[in-house]
Structure formats: C-alpha cells, structure tokens
Amino acid sequence: QVQLVESGGGLVQAGGSLRLSCAASRHTVRVYGMGWFRQAPGKEREFVAGYFWSRGDTVYTASVKDRFTISGDNASTTIYLQMNSLKPEDTAVYYCALRQSALGSYDYWGQGTQVTVSS
C-alpha cells in the first residue's frame, strides 16, 4: 500500500502564489506518473496537471497552463505544483494521485489539501 501526503495549501489573495507538495510513503513504488486534481464545491473533480516519470513530460489542463508548473523528484517520489497568478476560480481541494501503469487510471490518492483564493 502507498500513502500520498500533500502539503502546502492555504489562503492566498488573487494574484498570489502557492506551492503544493506530494510525497509517496514508499520510494520504491513503481511509478508511471503522478498528477494533481482538484474539486471545487458543487463541482466534479477535474484533472489539473500530470508528470510522467520516465521522460519528465508534463501535461496541463487549459485553464492553468502558463500559470501552474508541475515538477517531480524521482529519488524521493515527490511531485510539486507551483501555482502562480492564482484566481478565485482556482479555489478547491487539491488531490495528488499516482499511477503505476500507462493503462487504466490512477491507483493511489492523497487526502487532499485546501486552496482558497480570495478576491
């Protein structure tokens, strides 16, 4: 079993920045990729950004591209999400997830960290 522990959420004013971190409890776990999702009140969970372990490739949803940056540290099985130019619509609970294969969906999820952006 793998646990994912997120940190770095909080309250920030619009235009500000936050950096989220997510560390896997087992560094020897097989990883195809890790990603960030978010869920705002009354809305479905949505994909935010993904990091592919072997190539270091990244992918973003359109609404955060050019504002958010995902990065990873393979040695510690940790990913980060640098969020700049935050907007009130970025307010959500942010979840970290890990997938072990290119097939199927994400296998493990974190408990979530709240990000609140005030206007």
Side-chain angles (χ1 to χ4, degrees):
Q1 189 70 11
V2 176
Q3 290 184 326
L4 302 178
V5 181
E6 302 119 330
S7 61
L11 172 64
V12 65
Q13 289 188 331
S17 298
L18 282 174
R19 188 188 193 216
L20 305 183
S21 300
C22 172
S25 60
R26 282 174 46 202
H27 301 322
T28 58
V29 62
R30 177 168 53 91
V31 181
Y32 171 76
M34 294 180 71
W36 290 96
F37 292 73
R38 67 186 179 185
Q39 187 167 20
K43 295 188 177 181
E44 292 187 354
R45 185 171 60 192
E46 66 170 346
F47 172 80
V48 176
Y51 179 85
F52 298 95
W53 230 240
S54 62
R55 304 186 305 272
D57 291 346
T58 58
V59 61
Y60 301 90
T61 191
S63 62
V64 308
K65 198 172 172 65
D66 298 326
R67 297 189 299 122
F68 291 8
T69 302
I70 188 171
S71 60
D73 180 355
N74 294 28
S76 63
T77 319
T78 301
I79 58 168
Y80 306 93
L81 187 67
Q82 178 65 43
M83 304 185 293
N84 298 328
S85 302
L86 282 161
K87 305 175 181 180
E89 51 264 43
D90 294 317
T91 295
V93 177
Y94 283 71
Y95 297 91
C96 168
L98 181 153
R99 62 189 300 180
Q100 295 189 289
S101 170
L103 302 177
S105 60
Y106 284 81
D107 302 285
Y108 299 101
W109 292 83
Q111 80 286 354
T113 185
Q114 177 70 47
V115 171
T116 302
V117 185
S118 63
S119 58

